[in-house]
Amino acid sequence: MRRIRCHYASGEAFTAALRAAGDDQALQVFTTERFEPGEEVLAEVFFTGMNGKMLVRAIGKKWHMARPRLRVRAGGVLRCAGSEWRKLQFLREVALGRATMAPRRRHLRQPVLVEIRWRRSDGNDLMPATISEISEAGALLLTDAGLTLGEEIIIEITTPGGARPLELTSVVRNTQHPDGVGVEFMRRTSGGLTRIREVIRRLVDQ
């Protein structure tokens, strides 16, 4: 999946790009990298004053070349949905001074959308869920199963090209997210970190 740089000179410029898109759940971007309608991309969103960058999974809607005589920059419109759109809404609140970004994470979370199964560490019943963000440290698990802080679970992920599911032991660290819970991967050994990195590589590259 290609990454598109979506950088803005200020928070005001970012909020203007949300308004200028002329569509619900869309963002106007300025880039010379052509993308096609329907193409899935990773948008690297940043504006001056942000505490780090944010990666957002998006779908191309339209793109146009630069028109120097009309003072039109190359760019287009990207559309987001669900938790990805909520990221942009949060950034709008940051730009308007109504919210504050947490300190920059040591590991950048990559937007993904993959169906997984999970079970409690002391149980055998596997339940379906979706992961929408992942990093070496943890992931955002979209589920309404009522998990509690500190609870240990086993996540099974089948990666593209994988012959069998990979198991990742995890601990619930955040239950305040509106879409699910944040989990931390328990690496146990150095081999566990290698496994997590391979899972991320396969999911992001698919």
Side-chain angles (χ1 to χ4, degrees):
M1 190 185 306
R2 292 195 302 130
R3 183 180 297 194
I4 303 294
R5 293 177 74 252
C6 307
H7 292 190
Y8 303 89
S10 64
E12 290 80 5
F14 170 73
T15 57
L18 287 172
R19 294 192 301 268
D23 191 7
D24 290 338
Q25 301 185 344
L27 174 69
Q28 182 183 50
V29 298
F30 303 102
T31 176
T32 56
E33 285 193 70
R34 182 186 183 94
F35 53 82
E36 301 297 328
E39 180 183 358
E40 192 170 23
V41 300
L42 286 179
E44 181 186 278
V45 180
F46 174 82
F47 54 80
T48 301
M50 267 183 67
N51 181 16
K53 302 169 185 176
M54 182 175 286
L55 293 180
V56 179
R57 200 178 183 109
I59 301 294
K61 182 180 180 183
K62 59 183 178 181
W63 183 88
H64 59 260
M65 297 177 62
R67 304 182 182 92
R69 292 184 179 179
L70 300 178
R71 296 184 179 180
V72 175
R73 298 166 62 186
V77 174
L78 297 174
R79 298 196 74 248
C80 301
S83 60
E84 301 304 296
W85 173 243
R86 279 187 280 279
K87 291 180 186 178
L88 295 184
Q89 290 179 306
F90 171 71
L91 287 184
R92 177 172 54 196
E93 294 301 295
V94 172
L96 294 173
R98 298 198 291 245
T100 303
M101 289 187 69
R104 187 174 180 179
R105 285 190 175 101
R106 180 180 175 186
H107 302 289
L108 181 64
R109 286 201 170 182
Q110 302 278 359
V112 296
L113 198 62
V114 58
E115 301 296 321
I116 59 94
R117 298 193 303 171
W118 66 272
R119 61 179 173 83
R120 290 179 166 86
S121 59
D122 58 355
N124 296 315
D125 294 335
L126 287 166
M127 289 170 277
T130 302
I131 283 179
S132 68
E133 295 180 5
I134 193 169
S135 75
E136 293 180 15
L140 175 60
L141 186 66
L142 306 184
T143 178
D144 57 1
L147 290 165
T148 59
L149 280 175
E151 191 168 3
E152 187 171 295
I153 63 174
I154 309 298
I155 295 175
E156 290 190 359
I157 302 179
T158 301
T159 59
R164 60 178 182 174
L166 297 174
E167 291 190 350
L168 299 176
T169 302
S170 312
V171 174
V172 177
R173 297 301 189 195
N174 179 14
T175 58
Q176 300 302 311
H177 197 283
D179 298 313
V181 298
V183 300
E184 177 187 358
F185 297 139
M186 307 303 290
R187 292 188 278 244
R188 308 293 193 194
T189 65
S190 59
L193 178 58
T194 300
R195 178 186 301 178
I196 292 169
R197 286 173 175 169
E198 180 62 17
V199 167
I200 295 173
R201 185 190 66 79
R202 292 188 183 186
L203 293 178
V204 173
D205 289 347
Q206 69 174 320

